[in-house]
Amino acid sequence: MTDSSGPDPGPPPSFEHARNRRQKARAAGLDPDYWYAVEQSSRLRKGKHLETKFMGRSIAVFRGQDGRVRAVENRCAHRHIKLTEGEVVDCRLVCPYHGWSYDGEGRAHIPHDLFGRKEPDIRIASVPVRERYGLVFVFPGDPEVAEVRDIPSIPELEGPAPWPHAIVQFDCSGHHSMLLENVSDFTHGFLHRKFQPFEGTDLRRCETIGDRVELEYDSKIGAGRLQDMFIDRGEGGCDHMLACYDYPYHWSNTQDRIKHFLFTLPVDESHNRHIFIFYLRPGAIRLPGLGPVPRVVADTMMKLTRLTTLQPLLSQDVWVIGHEQEGWERHWDRPAPELSPVVKAFQDLTIRKWEEYLERSRRKGTRRDAPPLVPTEELAR
Ligand code: FES
Ligand SMILES: [Fe+2]
């Protein structure tokens, strides 16, 4: 690839060969030993399956006729065809070629002639999977860690009266670190000047505490004309935000009235899926001249806000990150002056956590790109 602004520098460096903070952050993965949201539960109906990827590793997720979600590696043990080319029958995922079928534990059943053998015990890896907040989560890392590490708690979305909320999901052509930097770096308000999701970008605090980067901004949230009309700001005015890169998640809290949680899925080195949940305190949504609206109306208004504001606003980020990725691949060796301490702090945390993961993998003797699989060796010889 050539470009008028300089010779082709070749592909960006691997993590091991990266020479500076930005190069390292753009080559880092996310630690698989966490729960990652992959899809909205409503989009995976009974008897259906979907393919998801975590850092290039394909996972088949399927919902049996009993309503329970299961996940296994997306590979038939027989000839390595993707199981998502097949179908779900009852509570098993069936390969389209010879009809081998798999349960949620990855155990195969062979339906055809066994040529005088006893049915062999063949398995593929299963992947821990759970549902919460209307989302399907998988745990791509060590299943034993999944037993002790929980999906992050969002009490406002649980119980009999969850806060009015909206889910916004995008697939984005960019490295996951670009998105995480984007959501907390308010200097990109220029991109959103039509919607004005925030006004003022005074960073009051940026502090790394363990596996979190905490930020405090003085900024009027929801400053656009439409949003301003429908947000009841209460006494605080909704002009102070606490935001957090709570590895590997991101969330914000504006004076306990407006909150969001972001789940990022690193699909591969240049694609990510992100699922936002925006939620507002009941009573923080109003109709002009009428004051706060009942919860059922607030729920409907959140759905409308998703269409009128959140989706178009976040589409701008998706668009610009696609271009940032292109720029990165073409000019990764050029200096990229960074003024924001937020971006640097985020990159440092991403890098440190990836180094810790690599070190852990080395000690365990596992390779990061090949999570342990259950072998089927005796028939493979
Ligand atoms: S390839 Fe899957 S059953 Fe043969
Ligand atoms: Fe943005």
Side-chain angles (χ1 to χ4, degrees), residues 37 39-40 43 133 135 165-171 179 260-264 273-279 302-318:
E39 186 51 277
Q40 296 171 55
R43 296 185 180 179
Y133 318 127
L135 304 177
H165 59 279
I167 297 177
V168 187
Q169 176 175 330
F170 281 104
D171 290 322
L179 178 81
H260 94 266
F261 219 102
L262 166 62
F263 298 99
T264 301
R273 167 168 286 187
H274 44 278
I275 303 180
F276 287 91
I277 310 181
F278 294 92
Y279 45 112
M302 280 302 284
K303 288 187 177 65
L304 283 174
T305 304
R306 182 167 68 80
L307 296 175
T308 58
T309 307
L310 298 172
Q311 202 122 352
L313 168 76
L314 292 162
S315 295
Q316 295 181 317
D317 293 308
V318 172

Side-chain angles (χ1 to χ4, degrees), residues 76-81 83 95-100 102 112:
C76 177
H78 190 201
R79 305 269 174 88
H80 313 307
I81 284 176
L83 291 170
C95 177
Y97 199 174
H98 309 85
W100 292 24
Y102 298 84
H112 56 69

Side-chain angles (χ1 to χ4, degrees), residues 182-183 185 188-189 191-192 197-198 313-314 316-317:
N182 165 289
V183 286
D185 168 23
H188 82 282
L191 173 70
H192 301 307
F198 38 83
L313 168 76
L314 292 162
Q316 295 181 317
D317 293 308

